[in-house]
């Protein structure tokens, strides 16, 4: 079996591959086509910046705040909440908001503890 080979002579030009023949070629791994190098951003494409990301985050937070206000306005009906020996009556929206904030705080506390633990482990490994 013969495989078409590129010309080995170099004359300042790009090597030319010989024409394919009807000879069967050995099966091998199929490689994906080479990807062209990414071009520099054109004037129409503006690179992302921290200021742009902060603006998007601020817009998302404002939208979330509007949705929260709508939620609070629509859920003003009172509900009775009992926990152990304590019983209180509060608007449903306030009860759900307190539960959501409590769960977020718990998640932040546990995540911070885990990140601190991992950073200490990395620093210890770097010293050893």
């Amino acid at each position: 079996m013969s495989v078409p080979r590129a010309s080995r002579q170099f004359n300042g030009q790009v090597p030319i591959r010989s024409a394919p023949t009807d000879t069967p070629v050995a099966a091998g791994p199929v490689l994906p086509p080479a990807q062209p190098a990414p071009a520099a951003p054109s004037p129409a494409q503006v690179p992302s910046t921290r200021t742009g990301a902060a603006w998007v985050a601020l817009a998302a937070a404002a939208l979330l705040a509007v949705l929260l206000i709508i939620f609070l306005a629509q859920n003003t009906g009172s509900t009775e909440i009992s926990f152990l020996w304590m019983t209180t009556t509060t608007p449903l929206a306030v009860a759900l908001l307190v539960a959501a904030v409590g769960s977020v705080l718990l998640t932040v506390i546990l995540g911070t503890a885990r990140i601190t633990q991992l950073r200490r482990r990395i620093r210890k490994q770097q010293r050893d």
Side-chain angles (χ1 to χ4, degrees):
M1 285 189 203
S2 68
V3 177
R5 301 273 180 192
S7 172
R8 297 283 181 216
Q9 298 172 349
F10 182 72
N11 57 4
Q13 297 178 351
V14 178
I16 300 173
R17 293 198 174 270
S18 53
T21 61
D22 292 339
T23 311
V25 178
V30 178
L31 301 175
Q35 298 293 326
S42 66
Q45 294 177 337
V46 179
S48 61
T49 62
R50 289 184 184 180
T51 306
W55 187 87
V56 170
L58 183 65
L63 179 64
L64 202 61
V66 169
L67 292 175
L68 181 63
I69 291 170
I70 293 170
F71 173 77
L72 290 171
Q74 289 181 340
N75 291 292
T76 57
S78 291
T79 186
E80 185 176 304
I81 299 173
S82 299
F83 181 70
L84 298 175
W85 66 90
M86 300 174 282
T87 302
T88 187
T89 302
T90 186
L92 177 62
V94 173
L96 291 173
L97 187 62
V98 168
V101 168
S103 63
V104 167
L105 287 176
L106 181 64
T107 303
V108 167
I109 290 168
L110 292 175
T112 301
R114 180 64 178 152
I115 290 170
T116 303
Q117 181 185 37
L118 291 172
R119 285 183 179 172
R120 285 182 183 168
R121 183 179 297 168
I122 290 171
R123 285 186 192 134
K124 183 179 177 182
Q125 287 176 352
Q126 288 176 347
R127 279 187 262 148
D128 293 341

